[in-house]
Amino acid sequence: MEMEMEIPVIDLSNFDISHKKSETMELLHEACQKWGFFMIENHEVDTVVMEEVKLLMNMHYEENMKQSFYNSETAKMLDKNEYIKEKDWETTFFVWHRPTSNINQLTTLSQHLRKRMDEYIEQVIKLAEKLSQLMCENLGIEKNQIMEAFAGSKGPSVGTKVAIYPKCRRPDLIRGLREHTDAGGIILLLQDEQVPGLEFFKDGKWVKIPPSKNNRIFINTGDQIEILSNGAYKSALHRVMAIDDGNRLSVATFYNPCSDALISPASQLLLPQCVRFQDYLNLYSKTKFGDKGLRFQSIKNMTNGNH
């Protein structure tokens, strides 16, 4: 079942306004807890650069990718008039930015596009770091804990999947992109402002994500954020539907852990484990009217041998 739903929109400028920050933090927390995806506006990423990246990416598709896609085996499979389970109706390429960039090795991309992409990514990484800090604050853990957990030996991995979902004459036979969650951390999506297709799963229903208007950036959280938050924040299932009315552009930047980073739930978010009930009762009798969180921390310290 599909449905229209007004997804959360976070105005980042409100975090700098004292009387609006608390309400906006609550909105962000709820979006991460109950949705796993949201839009952000007033994000301070240069909108001129954003528009130019989209324009240049669409030009690159028309000049370098369109013909080969429609000549591909995937496109020809539509002639069989059977549902295609193991393929996606997309044409893509991937750009690495951190810890090392490969963009200058992608020589089919124009020099102008490569330059604009680098400018965009520098700003998007700062945005991802800011979002990670806000998430940490809402979770009650150290401000830089996500960044430090993701750093590993070389710093976080940052890459961008550029995808075009071309106009499809038989959208009933294939998905643009099959259902999945994202493996990594924070995903920042610069998407088409006209053509829809992206859908997220919430409360047993598929929610249609509208095209991004007014240079909003779409955010979703991946599996590593769900792990690090001990399940408090969700990695939501999503898909892209094939569309028979235009091409859809997707520029998805992944702010992910380094490949050797060890990701585990933040210790502050773990409940006590293997607690002897009598030990708990002894502490409870002394702290019954105190803060439960402090009591749980004391029990964790006891079970870990940190008296």
Side-chain angles (χ1 to χ4, degrees):
M1 182 177 180
E2 299 174 358
M3 66 180 300
E4 298 285 349
M5 188 181 294
E6 192 166 337
I7 70 171
V9 177
I10 313 294
D11 185 342
L12 289 195
S13 66
N14 285 342
F15 291 111
D16 299 320
I17 303 172
S18 57
H19 68 279
K20 291 185 177 181
K21 181 177 179 180
S22 177
E23 179 183 346
T24 309
M25 288 293 284
E26 288 180 15
L27 181 60
L28 174 63
H29 190 51
E30 183 175 293
C32 293
Q33 274 188 319
K34 297 181 179 180
W35 296 71
F37 56 95
F38 51 92
M39 294 273 195
I40 56 172
E41 59 187 11
N42 295 321
H43 41 63
E44 297 185 348
V45 177
D46 189 329
T47 56
V48 173
V49 173
M50 291 171 63
E51 289 296 331
E52 200 159 359
V53 166
K54 288 189 287 186
L55 175 65
L56 292 168
M57 287 297 184
N58 280 318
M59 289 173 58
H60 177 77
Y61 164 73
E62 292 291 336
E63 296 170 4
N64 298 280
M65 301 170 73
K66 182 177 180 179
Q67 184 174 351
S68 61
F69 176 77
Y70 282 115
N71 290 333
S72 69
E73 289 302 313
T74 298
K76 292 175 183 177
M77 289 173 74
L78 293 180
D79 295 329
K80 296 180 180 179
N81 200 33
E82 298 174 352
Y83 190 77
I84 304 165
K85 295 181 179 180
E86 304 301 326
K87 298 286 185 179
D88 300 305
W89 191 261
E90 63 172 359
T91 179
T92 72
F93 62 92
F94 199 89
V95 186
W96 282 108
H97 311 291
R98 302 280 178 86
T100 56
S101 172
N102 72 341
I103 195 166
N104 288 323
Q105 298 169 25
L106 304 176
T107 54
T108 60
L109 302 181
S110 70
Q111 186 174 358
H112 188 42
L113 173 52
R114 283 179 269 163
K115 180 181 177 182
R116 282 289 181 258
M117 191 67 179
D118 279 342
E119 292 174 10
Y120 171 71
I121 290 302
E122 285 300 314
Q123 297 176 59
V124 164
I125 290 173
K126 292 178 182 176
L127 175 57
E129 291 172 344
K130 180 175 183 177
L131 287 170
S132 77
Q133 291 176 325
L134 293 169
M135 290 176 188
C136 286
E137 186 175 344
N138 268 333
L139 288 167
I141 61 180
E142 294 295 323
K143 180 179 180 181
N144 294 325
Q145 194 150 342
I146 290 176
M147 287 192 285
E148 290 171 359
F150 280 19
S153 63
K154 300 177 182 177
S157 294
V158 182
T160 297
K161 177 189 174 184
V162 178
I164 296 284
Y165 299 93
K167 182 177 179 179
C168 182
R169 58 187 169 86
R170 290 297 306 274
D172 56 314
L173 295 182
I174 193 169
R175 290 274 190 268
L177 182 61
R178 286 161 287 169
E179 293 81 353
H180 66 288
T181 62
D182 289 324
I186 299 172
I187 298 86
L188 306 98
L189 175 63
L190 175 62
Q191 67 164 346
D192 206 286
E193 68 273 12
Q194 295 181 337
V195 181
L198 179 62
E199 298 183 353
F200 271 69
F201 199 66
K202 183 182 188 302
D203 300 333
K205 301 179 178 66
W206 286 104
V207 178
K208 295 181 179 181
I209 307 301
S212 293
K213 301 295 185 182
N214 303 317
N215 291 297
R216 288 174 175 172
I217 294 177
F218 182 84
I219 307 294
N220 68 282
T221 46
D223 296 347
Q224 304 312 303
I225 295 295
E226 183 162 341
I227 292 170
L228 195 145
S229 69
N230 197 34
Y233 288 173
K234 304 305 178 189
S235 175
L237 188 68
H238 55 285
R239 67 187 183 186
V240 179
M241 305 302 288
I243 298 293
D244 61 2
D245 185 22
N247 306 318
R248 177 179 176 270
L249 173 66
S250 166
V251 182
T253 299
F254 296 82
Y255 182 82
N256 285 350
C258 178
S259 59
D260 64 2
L262 299 176
I263 306 300
S264 60
S267 60
Q268 305 95 311
L269 303 178
L270 290 172
L271 292 173
Q273 301 179 50
C274 301
V275 181
R276 193 163 69 99
F277 185 49
Q278 188 58 54
D279 293 337
Y280 189 85
L281 284 178
N282 292 343
L283 180 63
Y284 180 80
S285 67
K286 302 171 186 175
T287 62
K288 179 176 180 178
F289 301 106
D291 182 88
K292 180 177 67 176
L294 294 177
R295 184 160 64 244
F296 279 4
Q297 185 59 51
S298 296
I299 286 291
K300 283 196 287 184
N301 291 341
M302 289 171 59
T303 57
N304 292 332
N306 301 319
H307 296 284

